[in-house]
């Protein structure tokens, strides 16, 4: 039968059927791709007469997503919602840039090649070790940001054209004189007040409280006399400190590290010198006498020019960096801030003054080996942490319990009871290894977890030195807050009750003074028996030394002669506004100019923002939502 079937396959009828079957499956399988094959649009957005194509959108999205991923850290992946937000923001930036570029093109604004090069060369990110533009660094930075050179240059060219446009718009913007004066007066107005202080420490002690009063106070403030919530946790910590204990450093590694950094550990002395170069000895001697007589460098530069000599300042230079060995020898033999006798070299006669000395540095291997060992250990620990974290994540994701984890991952086990501040019931910090950032993250996670939650690997956040840490924990018990027995806290209760009584007593006294002043009694009479002091002039922005910070805002709500009262950490202060000083802009041209410049910039920013929105709206952008969504889907 099989042989008969094979014979029938050789017939034209069977072949035609087979071709039809293949065509059907091919068309069915690629049906979703047909629109693309036959001219489907790849335009993500139309902006005026220009299009934002899919490749440009994908590149902008990837750059934005890379920045977000770096900010979140390698252990946190952006959610689909975050990706959509990043894509929407990247597209909005492209739309705005396209609208501005279209407006610049309509106005005929262009950018020369020289201006483009100068802009690129001035970007610090492209500078090499010498502090100038470095082509290799330039290419590396572009690659790390998923950007080609033509695309980058197009962005820079568009940005320069847009700056021309915005510069022309901002140029006529200036803060009106009336507005500047009003803001200046608001910021620089000062107020003077007379005040009396009623400190808590000066209040007479209240009568001793009765047992019933203390008990009632205790019952009304139980929250202040309760133990905190405690949590019993088990955790493992992976940090540089936990990994470092198993790391060894050989002498060969130490010597290699020292040799690699020898130039930094051993640096020659550097000196800064002001130098005059004259053609003959007579002119050099004359210049030296004038300099020795007390002329400063500015004067000597003018005198050198008049004498046909040249003046130069050599800053932080080693002996080898001076143009002549005789000059170098004289500079490094000179006493700072003195003018020695002129010295001759093949270049001419030099008159010099040393103005600064940076001592040389020479650190031996023995001096640096401990520091080098710590650095090598830190570097090795960072590498081990990354590998150990990946293994630990796999184990925990597979359901491994904390007490079954391998002992060769560099983990430190932590078990104990702590409160939300990370302290033990004894009031001491819980012994959690790692950075302060990791410790805070672990404690926060402990109080967010529930008993029974499986342990998961958590990024402990980077420490101040950039080191990374991880932890995983589980909560075994929660002890809720509980009121401490009255007998145990009676001393605290008594102290709190007494302080409250003193506060109330001083509040009554301060209120009586304030009420009397408001009723027309002179301030000195209302505050009889207390010292009335005149406070320094205070401003809205910075207050003044000697003026309680709590008093500044109320002072600027008063009319002259009105009184107010505030409570500070040490007591109460009653004050009467005695003088309002309006500033004179003519007496402070620098301050007035700073206000004017700040307002002009703010107004310019507003004008630029309004123009940008108007140009964007004028372009009437339309967005292909389906194509935009595909950008984020392809990157997941």
């Amino acid at each position: 039968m099989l042989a008969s079937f094979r014979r029938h396959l050789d017939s034209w009828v069977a072949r035609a059927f087979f071709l039809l079957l293949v065509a059907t499956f091919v068309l069915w399988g690629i049906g979703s791709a047909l629109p693309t094959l036959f001219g489907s649009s790849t335009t993500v957005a139309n902006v005026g007469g220009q299009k934002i194509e899919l490749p440009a959108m994908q590149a902008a999205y990837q750059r934005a997503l890379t920045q977000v991923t770096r900010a979140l850290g390698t252990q946190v992946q952006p959610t689909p919602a975050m990706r959509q937000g990043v894509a929407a923001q990247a597209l909005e930036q492209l739309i705005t840039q396209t609208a501005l570029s279209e407006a610049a093109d309509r106005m005929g604004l262009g950018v020369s090649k020289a201006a483009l090069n100068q802009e690129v060369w001035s970007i610090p990110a492209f500078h090499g070790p010498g502090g100038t533009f470095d082509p290799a660094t330039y290419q590396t930075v572009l690659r790390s940001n998923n950007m080609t050179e033509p695309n980058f240059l197009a962005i820079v060219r568009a940005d320069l054209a847009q700056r021309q446009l915005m510069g022309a718009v901002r140029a006529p913007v200036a803060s009106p004189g009336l507005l500047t004066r009003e803001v200046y007066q608001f910021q620089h107005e000062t107020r003077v007040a007379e005040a009396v202080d009623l400190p808590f420490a000066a209040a007479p002690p209240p009568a001793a409280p009765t047992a019933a009063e203390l008990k009632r106070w205790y019952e009304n403030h139980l929250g202040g006399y309760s133990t905190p919530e405690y949590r019993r946790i088990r955790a493992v910590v992976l940090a540089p400190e936990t990994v470092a204990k198993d790391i060894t450093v050989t002498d060969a590694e130490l010597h290699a590290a020292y040799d690699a950094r020898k130039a930094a550990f051993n640096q020659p002395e550097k000196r800064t010198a002001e130098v005059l170069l004259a053609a003959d000895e007579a002119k050099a001697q004359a210049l030296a006498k004038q300099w020795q007589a007390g002329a400063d460098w500015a004067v000597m530069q003018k005198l050198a020019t008049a004498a046909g000599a040249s003046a130069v300042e050599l800053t932080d230079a080693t002996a080898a960096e001076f143009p002549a060995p005789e000059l170098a020898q004289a500079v490094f033999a000179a006493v700072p801030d003195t003018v020695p006798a002129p010295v001759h070299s093949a270049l001419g006669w030099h008159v010099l003054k040393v103005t600064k000395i940076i001592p040389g540095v020479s650190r031996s291997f023995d001096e640096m080996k401990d520091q080098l060992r710590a650095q090598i250990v830190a570097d090795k620990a960072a590498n081990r942490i990354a590998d150990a974290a990946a293994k630990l994540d796999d184990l925990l994701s597979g359901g491994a319990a904390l007490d079954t984890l391998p002992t060769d991952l560099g983990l430190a086990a932590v078990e104990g009871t702590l409160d939300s501040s990370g302290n033990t019931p004894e009031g001491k910090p819980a012994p959690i290894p790692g950075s302060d950032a990791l410790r805070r993250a672990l404690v926060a996670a402990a109080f967010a977890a529930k008993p029974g939650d499986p342990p998961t690997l958590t990024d402990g956040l980077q420490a101040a030195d950039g080191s990374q840490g991880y932890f995983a924990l589980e909560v075994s018990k929660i002890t809720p807050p509980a009121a401490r027995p009255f007998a145990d806290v009676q001393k605290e209760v008594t102290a709190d009750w007494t302080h409250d009584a003193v506060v109330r007593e001083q509040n009554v006294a301060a209120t009586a003074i304030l009420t009397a002043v408001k009723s027309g009694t002179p301030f000195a009479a209302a505050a009889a028996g207390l010292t009335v002091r005149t406070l320094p002039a205070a401003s809205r922005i910075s207050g003044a030394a000697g003026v309680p910070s709590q008093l500044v805002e109320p002072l600027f709500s008063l009319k002259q002669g009105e009184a107010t009262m505030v409570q500070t950490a040490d007591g109460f202060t009653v004050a009467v506004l005695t003088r309002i000083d309006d500033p004179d802009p003519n007496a402070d041209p620098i301050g007035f100019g700073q206000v004017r410049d700040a307002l002009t910039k703010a107004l310019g920013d507003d004008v630029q923002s309004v123009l940008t929105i108007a140009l964007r709206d004028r372009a009437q952008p339309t967005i292909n939502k389906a194509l935009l969504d595909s950008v984020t889907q392809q990157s997941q």
Side-chain angles (χ1 to χ4, degrees):
M1 183 175 179
L2 288 175
S4 174
F5 184 69
R6 291 191 186 100
R7 284 195 303 273
H8 282 90
L9 285 177
D10 288 334
S11 68
W12 285 107
V13 175
R15 291 178 181 177
F17 176 76
F18 179 73
L19 289 173
L20 178 63
L21 185 66
V22 170
T24 300
F25 277 104
V26 168
L27 291 174
W28 181 271
I30 68 170
S32 60
L34 283 177
T36 300
L37 294 174
F38 292 97
S40 175
S41 173
T42 59
T43 301
V44 181
N46 284 287
V47 185
Q50 301 187 38
K51 296 180 179 180
I52 298 175
E53 298 292 342
L54 184 59
M57 177 61 211
Q58 289 172 327
Y61 168 69
Q62 287 300 330
R63 288 194 298 271
L65 185 63
T66 298
Q67 294 175 352
V68 171
T69 303
R70 287 174 181 171
L72 292 174
T74 57
Q75 299 301 312
V76 180
Q77 294 299 318
T79 64
M82 293 172 62
R83 290 174 181 271
Q84 291 175 359
V86 171
Q89 185 177 18
L91 178 58
E92 184 59 34
Q93 291 176 348
L94 286 178
I95 289 174
T96 301
Q97 292 168 359
T98 303
L100 292 176
S101 294
E102 187 182 39
D105 291 342
R106 285 198 309 269
M107 297 178 185
L109 300 178
V111 178
S112 67
K113 184 176 180 180
L116 180 64
N117 289 339
Q118 188 61 40
E119 179 69 16
V120 173
W121 295 339
S122 68
I123 297 175
F126 301 149
H127 292 178
T132 58
F133 177 78
D134 179 59
T137 303
Y138 170 57
Q139 295 295 337
T140 300
V141 172
L142 292 185
R143 284 194 299 271
S144 66
N145 285 275
N146 300 316
M147 187 175 291
T148 65
E149 183 173 12
N151 287 341
F152 174 72
L153 293 178
I155 292 173
V156 175
R157 182 179 288 106
D159 179 64
L160 288 173
Q162 292 166 23
R163 276 195 248 166
Q164 292 182 54
L165 171 61
M166 293 306 175
V169 171
R170 297 178 68 119
V173 176
S175 175
L178 179 60
L179 174 63
T180 304
R181 181 177 294 273
E182 289 294 328
V183 173
Y184 175 84
Q185 290 179 337
F186 180 85
Q187 292 183 349
H188 291 77
E189 176 191 323
T190 58
R191 298 198 170 196
V192 177
E194 291 184 340
V196 292
D197 299 314
L198 293 87
F200 299 138
T210 65
E213 288 175 323
L214 291 178
K215 191 71 173 180
R216 185 164 56 250
W217 175 273
Y218 165 77
E219 292 171 350
N220 290 337
H221 301 84
L222 279 179
Y225 308 108
S226 297
T227 59
E229 177 183 318
Y230 286 106
R231 297 205 167 198
R232 180 79 181 177
I233 68 166
R234 298 175 63 194
V236 292
V237 174
L238 179 65
E241 295 86 341
T242 67
V243 174
K245 64 180 184 298
D246 297 325
I247 294 176
T248 58
V249 179
T250 65
D251 286 342
E253 289 175 308
L254 289 173
H255 281 285
Y258 178 80
D259 291 340
R261 298 172 175 84
K262 186 178 291 185
F265 297 150
N266 298 278
Q267 297 184 1
E269 178 182 321
K270 296 180 180 180
R271 293 197 170 198
T272 296
E274 298 165 346
V275 181
L276 304 177
L277 177 61
D280 58 68
E281 184 178 6
K283 289 182 179 179
Q285 292 287 0
L287 289 171
K289 289 181 180 179
Q290 290 171 305
W291 207 349
Q292 291 166 348
D296 61 18
W297 176 237
V299 171
M300 292 308 303
Q301 288 176 297
K302 295 178 181 179
L303 292 173
T305 301
S310 59
V312 64
E313 184 175 13
L314 301 173
T315 305
D316 298 340
T318 64
E321 293 172 333
F322 280 84
E326 296 85 356
L327 174 61
Q329 183 177 359
V331 167
F332 280 80
V335 177
D337 297 320
T338 63
V339 180
V343 60
H344 184 259
S345 76
L347 300 176
W349 286 89
H350 305 277
V351 185
L352 62 97
K353 178 193 281 189
V354 174
T355 58
K356 186 175 74 170
I357 297 176
I358 300 177
V361 176
S362 179
R363 299 185 179 96
S364 67
F365 171 77
D366 289 335
E367 290 177 298
M368 300 307 301
K369 64 180 180 181
D370 290 339
Q371 179 180 327
L372 290 169
R373 179 179 286 105
Q375 184 60 55
I376 294 172
V377 169
D379 293 342
K380 289 186 175 182
N383 293 331
R384 290 195 184 184
I385 285 176
D387 294 337
K391 295 177 182 177
L392 181 58
D393 192 22
D394 291 340
L395 291 169
L396 294 174
S397 299
L402 295 182
D403 55 2
T404 64
L405 296 174
T407 58
D408 61 351
L409 294 180
L411 302 174
V414 177
E415 184 171 5
T417 301
L418 48 74
D419 62 18
S420 60
S421 298
N423 295 325
T424 66
E426 293 75 30
K428 297 180 179 180
I432 301 172
S435 67
D436 290 340
L438 184 146
R439 175 187 178 85
R440 290 191 297 270
L442 189 150
V443 173
F447 277 78
K450 300 176 182 177
D453 287 350
T456 57
L457 185 66
T458 303
D459 188 343
L461 308 180
Q462 286 190 342
D465 61 357
S467 60
Q468 197 76 17
Y470 302 86
F471 64 85
L473 61 82
E474 56 187 10
V475 177
S476 59
K477 181 181 178 182
I478 297 178
T479 303
R484 296 155 63 194
F486 175 76
D488 293 348
V489 296
Q490 186 170 353
K491 289 184 177 179
E492 296 176 38
V493 172
T494 301
D496 292 343
W497 183 95
T498 301
H499 178 71
D500 182 70
V502 168
V503 171
R504 284 188 283 109
E505 181 70 22
Q506 293 296 71
N507 190 2
V508 169
T511 302
I513 296 173
L514 179 64
T515 302
V517 172
K518 288 185 174 182
S519 299
T521 304
F523 189 42
L530 298 174
T531 301
V532 178
R533 62 189 181 103
T534 300
L535 300 178
S539 71
R540 280 187 176 90
I541 307 302
S542 58
V547 178
S549 58
Q550 299 87 344
L551 184 59
V552 174
E553 184 177 349
L555 276 183
F556 282 87
S557 66
L558 299 177
K559 296 179 181 178
Q560 193 164 331
E562 291 183 340
T564 188
M565 179 183 92
V566 295
Q567 180 178 348
T568 68
D570 301 321
F572 288 90
T573 297
V574 183
V576 174
L577 180 62
T578 58
R579 194 174 79 236
I580 299 175
D581 294 329
D582 292 323
D584 180 9
N586 296 325
D588 182 20
I590 294 177
F592 186 78
Q594 290 172 339
V595 172
R596 181 190 59 240
D597 293 345
L599 288 173
T600 297
K601 181 182 182 305
L603 291 171
D605 291 342
D606 291 342
V607 170
Q608 179 173 325
S609 178
V610 170
L611 176 63
T612 300
I613 294 172
L615 291 175
R616 183 199 181 282
D617 292 344
R618 179 180 179 179
Q620 296 181 341
T622 59
I623 299 172
N624 186 333
K625 185 68 167 59
L627 203 55
L628 175 62
D629 291 341
S630 72
V631 173
T632 60
Q633 293 167 1
Q634 292 170 5
S635 66
Q636 295 181 19

